[in-house]
Amino acid sequence: IFRPDYLERHRFILAPDEAFGAIFTWSSLLQNARDLEMDAWNIVATENNLLKVDLDDIVRAEQMNPELAVQRVFLWTSDWIEVKRLVFRKLEVYNEFFDEYKFELRPNVKQWLTVLRKYKTSMCICSNVQRNRMKMILERLEIAEYFPFIVSIEEEFDTEEQMFLSACVKLERPPQKCVIFTDTPTSIISAHEISAKAIALSGVFKAYELRVADATMSNFDDIVVYDIRKLFSESGYEFMDTQTQLDDGSGNSSRSSQTMIES
């Protein structure tokens, strides 16, 4: 599926960056993406005399539907009616604070997204947040224009692998031609499970905890477009089909002269 035809293969040789898909997790773009989520869950915990959650719980809960998180991560209850009540209450609390909450982008996010768009790399953002909420935040942060494709909680995915595969389908790119930007070891493993590449941002986890990623960085000013191209330099669309790069006439593979993130 999504295998390029003859004309597309020729176009991708001339413009290799167009062949790739860039998938961003919610927390890879926002510095404080998990704070509001954790506050909302802890208010629900206090109201119901339940054990409060910590950042590790929130990170694990991101990989599944909230109903499963209540049962498998927070270990609050297995009664389905009670689970639904707690999830609904959390959503109420989240919505109450949402409009006043100030989300913050990681440094140089806009510059990096601008560069990817310049080279026509398709982009998608994934989250377990509601679609209308995601759009509102993206518009507030002035980056909505970069994400024509969104994977939200309405997709009803059970695992992170399903979420990433849904993003690949929306981008119309095979997983082996997609790179996933994330900040957790579990997301890196999920990316590799679907044969995608993973670039990790340190923060919640230290760099050594993210060593299974294909590349690790502290911020988006640590990467250039050519780094993405290098991740796929040894793989093509077919088995044993290497990624072709143009020769610049001097015996070296071509490299765009404008790949650095512009400040």
Side-chain angles (χ1 to χ4, degrees):
I1 188 171
F2 303 135
R3 184 177 300 169
D5 57 24
Y6 173 78
L7 292 178
E8 286 180 325
R9 288 174 67 89
H10 183 68
R11 178 165 60 88
F12 291 158
I13 291 174
L14 297 175
D17 304 308
E18 294 184 24
F20 310 138
I23 300 171
F24 295 83
T25 61
W26 196 236
S27 56
S28 69
L29 296 177
L30 304 179
Q31 292 189 118
N32 57 345
R34 299 182 177 94
D35 294 348
L36 178 58
E37 192 81 10
M38 184 165 62
D39 291 344
W41 280 120
N42 280 331
I43 289 175
V44 174
T46 301
E47 292 175 348
N48 294 273
N49 295 318
L50 298 168
L51 186 65
K52 288 189 175 183
V53 302
D54 56 23
L55 185 58
D56 289 339
D57 294 327
I58 297 300
V59 171
R60 292 171 58 199
E62 291 174 346
Q63 305 165 41
M64 60 192 74
N65 285 332
E67 290 83 1
L68 292 178
V70 169
Q71 294 175 293
R72 300 179 183 179
V73 179
F74 307 155
L75 303 178
W76 283 352
T77 180
S78 58
D79 181 83
W80 186 247
I81 295 177
E82 181 67 6
V83 167
K84 296 296 288 186
R85 186 187 71 81
L86 294 172
V87 170
F88 183 77
R89 176 55 184 154
K90 178 264 178 180
L91 186 59
E92 287 183 330
V93 174
Y94 186 90
N95 290 339
E96 287 175 10
F97 290 95
F98 179 86
D99 292 336
E100 303 298 327
Y101 195 77
K102 185 178 180 181
F103 290 96
E104 299 176 0
L105 288 173
R106 288 178 181 264
N108 293 306
V109 165
K110 287 185 180 180
Q111 291 92 327
W112 175 237
L113 296 178
T114 300
V115 170
L116 288 179
R117 184 173 63 177
K118 176 180 178 180
Y119 288 93
K120 298 182 180 180
T121 300
S122 299
M123 291 177 276
C124 179
I125 185 169
C126 300
S127 174
N128 59 355
V129 178
Q130 292 175 306
R131 179 178 296 272
N132 63 330
R133 292 294 183 184
M134 290 179 67
K135 288 183 176 180
M136 188 181 302
I137 296 174
L138 294 175
E139 290 173 358
R140 186 185 302 172
L141 296 172
E142 300 179 349
I143 58 173
E145 60 184 297
Y146 299 102
F147 294 105
F149 305 107
I150 293 176
V151 176
S152 64
I153 196 171
E154 285 86 354
E155 307 285 337
E156 297 185 349
F157 48 83
D158 292 326
T159 65
E160 210 168 24
E161 289 88 345
Q162 292 178 5
M163 180 177 71
F164 291 151
L165 284 173
S166 179
C168 294
V169 171
K170 289 178 182 289
L171 292 173
E172 297 186 353
R173 296 290 185 272
Q176 62 267 30
K177 284 298 179 181
C178 290
V179 57
I180 296 172
F181 292 85
T182 183
D183 65 342
T184 67
T186 53
S187 294
I188 297 170
I189 294 172
S190 296
H192 290 163
E193 284 291 325
I194 66 169
S195 301
K197 302 295 184 181
I199 294 181
L201 291 102
S202 57
V204 175
F205 293 91
K206 303 297 183 182
Y208 70 86
E209 297 177 287
L210 303 169
R211 60 183 179 275
V212 293
D214 298 284
T216 306
M217 60 186 184
S218 58
N219 280 306
F220 285 100
D221 55 356
D222 295 336
I223 189 172
V224 295
V225 171
Y226 188 67
D227 294 328
I228 304 296
R229 198 180 304 175
K230 286 195 298 183
L231 291 179
F232 301 98
S233 61
E234 296 181 358
S235 62
Y237 278 90
E238 309 288 348
F239 180 67
M240 297 298 289
D241 178 18
T242 57
Q243 176 68 42
T244 305
Q245 293 185 347
L246 292 178
D247 191 273
D248 60 8
S250 61
N252 298 319
S253 296
S254 65
R255 173 176 177 174
S256 173
S257 60
Q258 185 66 25
T259 57
M260 295 296 293
I261 297 179
E262 300 171 350
S263 57

